[in-house]
Amino acid sequence: MTTLESLTNQCVKCGLCKDVCPTYPYIQKEDGFARGRIALAQLVLKGEIEIDSSVSTSWNQCAMCRRCEWICPNGVEFKEIMVHSRSLQREKEGDKLIKKAGLFALNALQSSPGRLALKLAGKASKFLPKEIKVPFPTGAVKFMPKPSGKAFDLRGKTFKAKEEKSKLLFFTGCLIDAFYTKTGESVIKLLNKAGYTVTIPKDIRCCGAPHYYSGNLEAFEKLKEHNIREIQSYDFDAIVVACPTCGGALSEDYGKSWKVQDFAEIIQKESLSFKGSGKKVTFHVPCHSYSAMKVNSEVFYDCIKKVNGDTLQRAPRDKSCCGFAGLFSITNPEISNKAQEQKINDLDSTGANLILTTCPGCVLNLNDGVKKHSKAQKVMHLADYLASSLIQEENPETPSHQLQTRIKSPSEKASAIT
């Protein structure tokens, strides 16, 4: 019996996954949620059906949010079932052009020419709006963030805490590296203030989760092997992330015993002081924070409650999928847009003027949704919100202005910074 067969046999067909699936409400078919997609995998493995256009459509319409795993009473490993099913699908059909282009772009932006080109593009687009409306061949239209003029500037540097209690390795991830560099600075600012020295590896690549979730196991293995070599050349006590998809890949799929934490898990336990300005804030819980990283969502709310003067308004469906799911929002625009609209309306119902989340992809999609649906809300990563509210007793400068050590080689230890 193959591993995939064993995994599919864990499903007892109870159907609880239907209630939490973000795609089923817009498909309304048995193969539009986890139970049906698993049943198709079983039939393919038994040789009773071939992988044809209907099977491929069902599997491609899965957002891989993994909310079905979160609710499953039998512990079915749906991610692994879908990953290996999509691997079989790739063997039969190959990659669709848009998915191939998307994964290629992730690899290209982490190459030396790609990093330079992105940074130059960010500097050249300084006076353009923060988000640019981009049409895609699939019919998707999204407001995409422009590249940061500081893209990849944090790489290969160590930011010393004044009184160091621990060393953290910050796995920034593609979106923070290329587009949301300020969020990376905010994470460092918070952790430094809490007493943690933070190192950003010089040459990490994409975590590989988009490749793995797409069934491209060969590409994932290459990225994993590269990142493991790079990470292991540094001295650290734990890995910290500000993207739950990256965190899930590092903790679940790399096969290492590293301690991987969301930055908010650390900040929750620290006695930092924050001051708000009377804003009403609400929070979108990213799917992978609780389905992949297994972070208790109260961690994020506890962090928000630390900000004196602001009011927290919980959304009724705070854990519902925002509809992004990376390439899913490009390849399945109709389903993605409907899930996004439901999410935006849910957040708007709180009356909050600021939407927070802890996933850069969700920041991108929520910003897109706010613009499309003409809402007045502002969207921020939780790290940016906390860093902007942090009460500084001393030097209030951000990490990009602090003294820092650039690592000339991974094995070179950072010198002390005063």
Side-chain angles (χ1 to χ4, degrees):
M1 181 177 289
T2 66
T3 301
L4 183 53
E5 286 174 333
S6 300
L7 292 172
T8 59
N9 288 339
Q10 291 174 356
C11 178
V12 295
K13 309 296 189 294
C14 68
L16 284 176
C17 48
K18 181 191 292 186
D19 295 332
V20 297
C21 179
T23 64
Y24 176 74
Y26 313 114
I27 299 172
Q28 291 291 317
K29 292 165 59 179
E30 176 65 21
D31 64 358
F33 68 105
R35 182 176 69 185
R37 289 168 179 143
I38 292 172
L40 288 176
Q42 289 176 316
L43 293 172
V44 167
L45 290 172
K46 291 176 181 177
E48 295 183 23
I49 62 172
E50 295 286 332
I51 296 177
D52 58 14
S53 59
S54 63
V55 173
S56 293
T57 297
S58 170
W59 290 347
N60 290 338
Q61 286 178 335
C62 174
M64 292 295 278
C65 64
R66 300 173 57 187
R67 284 167 55 80
C68 50
E69 293 181 22
W70 168 60
I71 202 71
C72 181
N74 214 37
V76 174
E77 298 178 57
F78 180 74
K79 179 192 78 170
E80 293 303 317
I81 293 171
M82 196 50 50
V83 163
H84 292 285
S85 295
R86 286 177 171 179
S87 179
L88 294 175
Q89 181 185 346
R90 286 187 69 249
E91 290 177 13
K92 176 81 180 291
E93 300 178 341
D95 281 327
K96 299 294 183 184
L97 182 59
I98 191 70
K99 184 172 285 189
K100 185 181 292 186
L103 296 180
F104 174 81
L106 285 176
N107 293 337
L109 73 83
Q110 291 284 6
S111 66
S112 295
R115 292 173 187 174
L116 177 60
L118 216 70
K119 188 170 184 176
L120 292 175
K123 291 182 180 297
S125 62
K126 181 178 179 180
F127 299 105
L128 292 177
K130 285 186 176 181
E131 287 87 26
I132 302 168
K133 194 174 184 179
V134 179
F136 293 89
T138 58
V141 179
K142 296 195 79 65
F143 285 92
M144 301 292 288
K146 66 181 182 182
S148 169
K150 296 181 179 180
F152 303 97
D153 272 3
L154 299 175
R155 290 295 194 85
K157 296 175 183 175
T158 287
F159 298 85
K160 280 277 191 179
K162 188 173 181 181
E163 296 181 10
E164 180 182 286
K165 61 174 72 169
S166 183
K167 294 187 177 88
L168 300 175
L169 185 142
F170 182 16
F171 193 100
T172 43
C174 297
L175 284 176
I176 288 178
D177 276 338
F179 302 101
Y180 299 123
T181 313
K182 183 176 179 295
T183 300
E185 293 177 345
S186 295
V187 171
I188 297 165
K189 177 180 178 179
L190 291 165
L191 294 174
N192 275 176
K193 184 67 175 176
Y196 297 88
T197 288
V198 181
T199 294
I200 295 87
K202 186 175 183 180
D203 192 31
I204 47 171
R205 309 280 171 84
C206 173
C207 68
H211 306 76
Y212 193 65
Y213 282 25
S214 296
N216 193 333
L217 304 182
E218 300 88 352
F220 170 72
E221 286 299 324
K222 288 179 181 178
L223 289 167
K224 181 181 81 169
E225 289 172 9
H226 172 89
N227 287 335
I228 287 175
R229 284 196 301 272
E230 177 70 5
I231 290 170
Q232 287 183 332
S233 63
Y234 293 89
D235 176 29
F236 60 91
D237 300 308
I239 296 175
V240 65
V241 298
C243 170
T245 302
C246 291
L250 292 167
S251 58
E252 291 183 328
D253 305 319
Y254 273 44
K256 296 294 178 181
S257 58
W258 299 320
K259 183 178 182 180
V260 181
Q261 292 183 283
D262 189 290
F263 83 97
E265 292 181 280
I266 298 172
I267 299 304
Q268 180 208 27
K269 298 174 183 177
E270 298 296 333
S271 56
L272 299 179
S273 298
F274 302 90
K275 185 176 182 180
S277 55
K279 294 183 289 292
K280 288 184 179 180
V281 303
T282 191
F283 187 77
H284 159 64
V285 184
C287 300
H288 285 171
S289 68
Y290 58 89
S291 67
M293 286 195 72
K294 311 295 189 296
V295 178
N296 186 328
S297 301
E298 293 305 312
V299 166
F300 309 122
Y301 287 114
D302 286 347
C303 288
I304 296 170
K305 290 173 185 175
K306 287 176 178 281
V307 182
N308 293 317
D310 287 351
T311 304
L312 172 64
Q313 306 283 349
R314 291 201 186 207
R317 296 170 55 87
D318 60 349
K319 288 189 177 72
S320 66
C321 180
C322 75
F324 181 58
L327 288 172
F328 172 84
S329 65
I330 307 301
T331 57
N332 295 275
E334 290 186 12
I335 298 174
S336 175
N337 289 342
K338 288 175 181 177
Q340 180 193 61
E341 182 178 11
Q342 183 190 64
K343 169 57 68 173
I344 294 298
N345 288 337
D346 182 58
L347 294 169
D348 188 51
S349 72
T350 66
N353 48 31
L354 179 59
I355 300 170
L356 303 174
T357 188
T358 50
C359 171
C362 294
V363 169
L364 186 159
N365 203 52
L366 294 173
N367 262 318
D368 175 65
V370 165
K371 286 183 176 295
K372 283 178 178 173
H373 297 285
S374 302
K375 303 298 182 183
Q377 293 160 311
K378 183 178 180 181
V379 181
M380 291 180 75
H381 194 287
L382 178 61
D384 293 317
Y385 170 70
L386 293 175
S388 66
S389 306
L390 182 62
I391 296 175
Q392 293 273 10
E393 288 125 11
E394 301 179 42
N395 186 359
E397 295 178 355
T398 61
S400 60
H401 297 110
Q402 291 173 355
L403 288 175
Q404 60 208 1
T405 298
R406 178 176 294 279
I407 302 170
K408 295 179 181 178
S409 65
S411 60
E412 183 181 355
K413 290 187 177 180
S415 57
I417 294 174
T418 58

